[in-house]
Amino acid sequence: MVQLSGITPSGHVQLGNHLGALRRWAADGGPDDLYFVSDLHAMTTAHNPAKLRSLATEQLAVLVATGIAPERVFVQSDLARELGALTWVLECTCSYGEAARMIQFKEKSAARSASVEGGGGGMDGKSKGQAGVRLSLLTYPVLMAADILLQGADEVPVGEDQRQHVELARTLARRFNSTYGEVFTVPEATLPPAGARVKDLAEPARKMSKSANDSAGVVFVLDEPDQIRRKVRRARTDGGSVPAYDPENRPGIANLLDILAACAGGDPAELADEYPSYGVLKDAVADAVIEELRPVREGTRALLDDVAELERVRKAGAERAIDRGAHRVSAALRMVGAA
Ligand code: ATP
Ligand code: MG
């Protein structure tokens, strides 16, 4: 049973990624599971090449420092040749309509359209904006299908927002297999175990995100202890002064209690009773987060300083991932008549 999960270097790894994904990957991952840094997916909107490169390296180091076996990790772009070939074959298996109906494409291209100035040239704002987005915003689910099918993954644990893309991978695998011959494992989208969604400390209405424009309320796993303490102390609370666990009406305090429970154990509602004031609670949250992230931060820094070791891990991961998938690319090319 192979499960495949990825993380996109769209920003520095944040506490929500750690608690909701990476920590779990390290603790629960099966011996055949695979984890990758999906740097090619961070190029569907304007991006900075140097920044992308350094974020991808950093994320690889974070994955290993979190405790994921180095044999199980790789960086997507190290497989660019295999993935490029497979993506093309799969684009020739996918219809335009199937790609265009992806909700993520509709939402992201619409968001982009909204930011483009009004009409002109016979195009209204919307179609003009859509015409201006990178073609890869439309086609990246096919690259995602290639990520999954190349590795022969059986299961892809994804949140609701990525479910449709795994369904597309499933459709394409089936269609290819029945049209040209059996090459691909048909993957299944599974729901990752439910965990608390970490909210932004400054804006508890939205989830913490590594690509947020404003990072005042985002705790990054590589933040120094005093930065973490500062961000936690400034966390928005919701009036009142005595902690109570009420996610609906007091999302800021509930978020702090959820974070404390996730880092130090315990039940968030019961923890609320242990702290007489917001200040005392915030100090406890800061301490717990600092201790939770300390080994990850120290391990990541050590790996980033040991360039040769990180390079060795990266190269070995790439070789393994290519070995696992190369025969599928060759078979698929042969079957479509391209080799
Ligand atoms: P982006 O802003 O680029 O979408 P992100 O921080 O939302 O970045 P993703 O790459 O979308 O991170 O997700 C990586 C993993 O981290 C996923 O498994 C996702 O469910 C998990 N994750 C992301 N944010 C949170 C959060 N705030 N709380 C819990 N889990 C999270
Ligand atoms: Mg996200």
Side-chain angles (χ1 to χ4, degrees):
M1 174 71 68
V2 177
Q3 282 195 28
L4 177 74
S5 304
I7 179 159
T8 303
S10 52
H12 298 283
V13 180
Q14 42 90 7
L15 179 65
N17 303 135
H18 172 80
L19 295 175
L22 308 198
R23 181 173 80 162
R24 229 194 285 267
W25 296 351
D28 305 339
D32 297 323
D33 293 353
L34 300 169
Y35 304 96
F36 72 109
V37 177
S38 50
D39 53 348
L40 298 175
H41 286 295
M43 297 168 50
T44 57
T45 51
H47 77 286
N48 175 313
K51 179 115 206 233
L52 177 61
R53 183 176 292 112
S54 81
L55 284 174
T57 306
E58 185 181 292
Q59 283 197 353
L60 178 68
V62 169
L63 292 182
V64 176
T66 304
I68 300 170
E71 304 82 60
R72 315 253 53 93
V73 299
F74 63 91
V75 178
Q76 185 189 28
S77 59
D78 292 339
L79 284 54
R81 285 181 182 77
E82 291 72 21
L83 288 171
L86 188 52
T87 298
W88 181 249
V89 168
L90 294 174
E91 285 187 8
C92 297
T93 307
C94 185
S95 72
Y96 169 76
E98 281 171 323
R101 83 168 72 99
M102 292 292 121
I103 293 160
Q104 290 273 308
F105 172 70
K106 288 191 194 163
E107 285 180 1
K108 290 184 180 173
S109 60
R112 165 70 213 247
S113 316
S115 69
V116 168
E117 295 285 307
M123 277 183 172
D124 61 18
K126 180 158 187 280
S127 51
K128 189 180 173 197
Q130 266 199 355
V133 301
R134 292 186 178 178
L135 179 59
S136 53
L137 194 63
L138 177 67
T139 59
Y140 87 88
V142 186
L143 172 59
M144 184 170 156
D147 293 326
I148 297 166
L149 302 185
L150 182 71
Q151 301 301 328
D154 306 280
E155 291 189 348
V156 188
V158 282
E160 225 19 76
D161 59 333
Q162 293 294 320
R163 202 167 183 82
Q164 197 185 22
H165 296 162
V166 181
E167 291 301 326
L168 180 68
R170 193 178 162 80
T171 302
L172 298 181
R174 281 225 186 91
R175 185 176 301 149
F176 186 99
N177 288 348
S178 64
T179 310
Y180 303 106
E182 287 287 326
V183 175
F184 299 116
T185 303
V186 178
E188 214 173 310
T190 56
L191 270 182
R197 231 61 204 127
V198 178
K199 306 294 195 313
D200 189 287
L201 296 180
E203 285 292 340
R206 65 168 191 234
K207 78 165 201 69
M208 198 177 274
S209 285
K210 60 177 135 60
S211 68
N213 288 330
D214 178 0
S215 61
V218 181
V219 172
F220 297 105
V221 302
L222 298 183
D223 278 348
E224 295 294 330
D226 59 330
Q227 281 173 294
I228 296 177
R229 194 170 298 283
R230 214 171 320 129
K231 286 176 182 174
V232 172
R233 282 211 175 122
R234 282 194 201 139
R236 158 121 40 119
T237 48
D238 328 275
S241 58
V242 179
Y245 189 67
D246 181 358
E248 189 84 1
N249 302 308
R250 295 167 74 180
I253 283 295
N255 188 37
L256 291 175
L257 289 163
D258 280 333
I259 291 172
L260 181 60
C263 292
D267 174 79
E270 286 167 16
L271 283 170
D273 297 334
E274 291 177 26
Y275 296 92
S277 73
Y278 286 178
V280 182
L281 172 64
K282 282 179 169 178
D283 277 339
V285 172
D287 289 341
V289 172
I290 289 166
E291 287 321 308
E292 173 67 28
L293 295 181
R294 185 186 302 283
V296 181
R297 176 171 51 87
E298 290 177 354
T300 302
R301 295 258 179 253
L303 264 175
L304 289 172
D305 284 344
D306 190 347
V307 177
E309 170 63 6
L310 192 55
E311 190 50 40
R312 196 194 57 71
V313 167
R314 178 165 178 166
K315 222 168 140 212
E319 279 167 8
R320 270 192 217 94
I322 290 171
D323 277 355
R324 229 174 350 246
H327 68 281
R328 293 192 187 92
V329 183
S330 317
L333 285 169
R334 201 169 55 244
M335 285 174 164
V336 296

